[in-house]
């Protein structure tokens, strides 16, 4: 018998599902206020979508994707992130025809082969938003504010927002040369991954976790010194929008994000109490991705947050709601005939919109009352032979222990008072 879930996956059990629903409900409510509509994309896509969208040479594509050949000999990949999938859906379904600005959000499972650790699984869940069709940095600011308001609305305090501009292809070519000149005599001291990044994507050396503490990293050239006029103006206006909104932020010139499609804005939100894995949300602008995937040149910006990481932060700070079973009435049946009538009564109560429960095991009254307490039932409706003969139940208030006889046909109204 297979008794263990695959490494890096986790069952979400009934006692924690409520925590997930709590966060998801907050997400949906906030996105509705901001005008974002939910999209659900397939769990797997053609591998080429991620190779072109994320970029070959990235850790995600080279090391972390779950890729396989299907029975039609097609290369298929479980989605490692959802931006590429959302853009594919945007193009395939011609969502660009509806509005100049298309605003989407998603909640779902993603898959990356990585070493499992706290808040990071091989199957993980992301919430993300994508705003497609507008170059104005006000949209970047709106995206950042949405992320901040979600996390703050969940009760997380002292969040740290870091922003940067990663430029555009025009100004990045100059920066690429500057980085290669800077790191050329340090190649022997860099990790194997960074040595391979030197030619393909030297910016990603700045994002390396293993080499980040090297003393010379702080002296590396800053992309903000190489920005073209357009990118510089965009970054300055973003800062003005954030300042106008009262959002505190720091500029981190080493913040480049790990995917190839980012242009101009890049940002990350950290929650320091989580320690080394403190990043709880991140994203940025990807103005070249839609053209790369076959569409017309279209500006876009988005972000994603890992729900496991958010839930871990909420749990550590005691910010999750109290777990309780909202059972309105637990029907206690004493005797075989009462069990038959109790079954019908429970169904009638549920039809009336009440949460009702009943014992099916024919246990003693004491055991049934114990179960009613365990379920935090507001009332227990007790019925035995005498009550059946009189057409009543004994309705006990589980909080105060007061009880009274109530006619069966008046029970719903009594509970709703």
């Amino acid at each position: 018998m297979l008794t263990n879930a695959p490494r890096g996956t986790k069952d979400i059990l009934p006692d924690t599902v409520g925590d997930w629903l709590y966060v998801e409900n907050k997400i949906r409510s906030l996105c509705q206020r901001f005008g974002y509509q939910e999209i659900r994309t397939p769990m797997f896509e053609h591998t080429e979508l991620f190779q072109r969208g994320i970029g070959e040479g990235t850790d995600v594509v080279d090391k972390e994707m779950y890729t396989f050949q299907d029975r039609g000999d097609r290369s298929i990949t479980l989605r490692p992130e959802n931006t590429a999938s959302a853009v594919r859906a945007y193009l395939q379904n011609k969502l660009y025809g509806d509005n100049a600005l298309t605003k989407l959000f998603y909640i779902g499972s993603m898959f990356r082969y990585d070493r499992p650790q706290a808040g990071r699984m091989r199957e993980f869940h992301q919430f993300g938003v994508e705003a497609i069709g507008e170059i104005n940095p006000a949209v970047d600011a709106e995206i950042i504010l949405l992320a901040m308001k979600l996390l703050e609305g969940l009760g997380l305090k002292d969040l740290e927002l870091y922003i940067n501009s990663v430029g555009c292809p025009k100004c990045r070519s100059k920066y690429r040369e500057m980085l290669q000149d800077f790191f050329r005599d340090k190649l022997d001291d860099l990790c194997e991954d960074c040595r391979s990044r030197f030619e393909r994507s030297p910016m990603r050396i700045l994002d390396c976790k293993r080499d980040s503490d090297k003393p010379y990293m702080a002296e590396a050239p800053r992309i903000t010194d190489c920005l073209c006029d357009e990118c510089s103006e965009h970054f300055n206006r973003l800062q003005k929008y954030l300042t106008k909104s009262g959002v505190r932020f720091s500029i981190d010139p080493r913040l480049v994000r790990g995917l190839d499609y980012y242009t101009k804005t890049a940002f990350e939100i950290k929650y320091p109490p989580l320690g080394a894995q403190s990043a709880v949300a991140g994203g940025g602008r990807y103005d070249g991705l839609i053209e790369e995937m076959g569409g017309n040149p279209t500006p876009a910006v988005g972000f994603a947050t890992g729900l496991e990481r958010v839930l871990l932060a909420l749990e550590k700070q005691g910010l999750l709601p109290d777990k309780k079973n909202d059972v309105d009435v637990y029907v206690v049946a004493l005797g075989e005939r009462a069990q038959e009538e109790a079954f019908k009564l429970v169904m009638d109560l549920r039809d009336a919109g009440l949460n009702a429960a009943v014992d099916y095991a024919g246990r003693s009254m004491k055991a049934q009352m114990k179960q009613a307490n365990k379920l935090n039932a507001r009332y227990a409706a007790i019925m035995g032979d005498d009550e059946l003969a009189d057409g009543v139940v004994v309705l006990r208030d589980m909080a105060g222990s007061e009880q009274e006889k109530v006619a069966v046909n008046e029970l719903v109204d009594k509970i709703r008072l």
Side-chain angles (χ1 to χ4, degrees):
M1 180 181 293
L2 296 174
T3 57
N4 296 317
R7 186 167 185 249
T9 66
K10 186 177 181 181
D11 299 308
I12 301 175
L13 300 176
D15 64 338
T16 58
V17 164
D19 299 337
W20 287 81
L21 293 176
Y22 168 72
V23 173
E24 290 170 11
N25 288 338
K26 291 274 190 180
I27 287 170
R28 289 189 167 92
S29 175
L30 184 65
C31 285
Q32 184 176 23
R33 300 206 312 266
F34 273 69
Y36 288 79
Q37 296 180 304
E38 186 167 5
I39 185 172
R40 302 186 186 189
T41 63
M43 203 80 73
F44 57 85
E45 302 269 7
H46 295 291
T47 301
E48 184 186 6
L49 175 72
F50 302 115
Q51 290 173 333
R52 291 181 63 184
I54 298 174
E56 292 191 86
T58 61
D59 284 351
V60 173
V61 171
D62 287 357
K63 300 179 180 181
E64 299 174 1
M65 295 203 313
Y66 279 90
T67 299
F68 59 93
Q69 299 295 120
D70 71 5
R71 295 193 176 194
D73 203 31
R74 292 169 290 254
S75 182
I76 297 295
T77 295
L78 299 178
R79 61 187 183 196
E81 57 95 56
N82 215 33
T83 295
S85 294
V87 167
R88 192 266 311 144
Y90 169 84
L91 291 171
Q92 180 179 344
N93 297 285
K94 297 180 172 59
L95 298 182
Y96 46 80
D98 295 338
N99 296 289
L101 178 60
T102 301
K103 302 167 75 171
L104 306 171
F105 82 92
Y106 56 83
I107 302 172
S109 293
M110 312 295 155
F111 303 86
R112 294 188 191 180
Y113 189 87
D114 200 355
R115 183 172 62 86
Q117 53 188 290
R120 178 181 291 178
M121 305 291 285
R122 289 175 176 171
E123 180 190 16
F124 59 100
H125 300 78
Q126 271 190 349
F127 154 60
V129 303
E130 315 293 347
I132 305 173
E134 179 55 65
I135 191 64
N136 192 325
V139 182
D140 306 43
E142 177 183 282
I143 289 280
I144 293 172
L145 284 166
L146 192 157
M148 293 289 288
K149 287 182 182 297
L150 172 66
L151 297 169
E152 290 171 346
L154 290 168
L156 298 180
K157 301 182 185 301
D158 300 320
L159 294 163
E160 296 177 352
L161 170 62
Y162 297 90
I163 65 171
N164 192 25
S165 176
V166 295
C168 66
K170 183 167 57 175
C171 45
R172 271 212 298 262
S173 61
K174 176 184 177 183
Y175 185 55
R176 175 190 177 92
E177 293 177 5
M178 292 176 64
L179 283 177
Q180 287 178 325
D181 289 343
F182 177 79
F183 284 115
R184 186 168 282 110
D185 63 354
K186 303 173 180 64
L187 282 175
D188 291 342
D189 189 47
L190 296 174
C191 69
E192 182 180 349
D193 287 339
C194 284
R195 288 196 294 272
S196 69
R197 291 167 180 151
F198 179 79
E199 291 295 341
R200 292 186 299 179
S201 184
M203 276 181 62
R204 205 166 294 119
I205 297 175
L206 303 176
D207 196 41
C208 178
K209 302 298 184 288
R210 279 184 286 179
D211 289 332
S212 61
D213 293 333
K214 299 287 174 65
Y216 50 77
M217 282 294 186
E219 302 169 5
R222 300 185 174 200
I223 191 169
T224 46
D225 296 331
C226 303
L227 296 180
C228 64
D229 290 344
E230 179 186 339
C231 290
S232 181
E233 172 66 14
H234 189 280
F235 192 45
N236 288 335
R237 289 181 64 200
L238 169 63
Q239 294 175 63
K240 290 178 181 178
Y241 280 120
L242 293 175
T243 301
K244 191 73 173 177
S245 301
V247 178
R248 291 183 302 170
F249 60 88
S250 300
I251 297 175
D252 180 0
R254 290 172 54 189
L255 176 59
V256 298
R257 307 294 296 159
L259 307 179
D260 272 0
Y261 52 60
Y262 285 109
T263 57
K264 296 186 174 71
T265 302
F267 75 92
E268 193 167 77
I269 302 171
K270 294 185 177 181
Y271 185 62
L274 287 180
Q277 300 294 329
S278 61
V280 288
R285 181 164 282 279
Y286 50 94
D287 292 341
L289 178 59
I290 294 172
E291 185 177 10
E292 173 66 27
M293 291 173 56
N296 294 322
T298 307
V301 59
F303 86 91
T305 181
L307 296 186
E308 280 85 356
R309 194 78 60 84
V310 170
L311 285 162
L312 182 62
L314 296 179
E315 182 181 13
K316 282 192 172 186
Q317 299 302 315
L319 295 171
L320 291 170
D322 292 335
K323 294 179 173 62
K324 60 180 180 179
N325 295 290
D326 295 320
V327 174
D328 296 309
V329 57
Y330 189 96
V331 179
V332 177
L334 306 175
E336 184 175 337
R337 183 164 162 252
Q339 288 177 15
E340 295 174 1
E341 293 298 324
F343 180 83
K344 181 180 184 305
L345 177 58
V346 164
M347 295 303 169
D348 290 342
L349 292 168
R350 290 168 178 166
D351 287 343
L354 297 172
N355 295 338
V358 68
D359 174 62
Y360 291 118
R363 293 179 293 180
S364 67
M365 180 174 175
K366 180 179 179 181
Q368 292 184 59
M369 293 298 291
K370 184 176 180 180
Q371 181 66 12
N373 272 316
K374 185 176 180 180
L375 295 175
N376 292 319
R378 288 173 54 215
Y379 294 101
I382 305 165
M383 56 194 317
D385 290 340
D386 292 343
E387 287 75 26
L388 288 174
D390 295 338
V392 300
V393 298
V394 175
L395 188 65
R396 178 177 296 182
D397 184 328
M398 297 298 289
S401 297
E402 298 90 355
Q403 64 184 43
E404 61 180 313
K405 289 185 178 181
V406 178
V408 172
N409 59 5
E410 297 175 0
L411 185 58
V412 171
D413 292 337
K414 182 68 177 178
I415 292 172
R416 282 179 172 165
L417 288 177

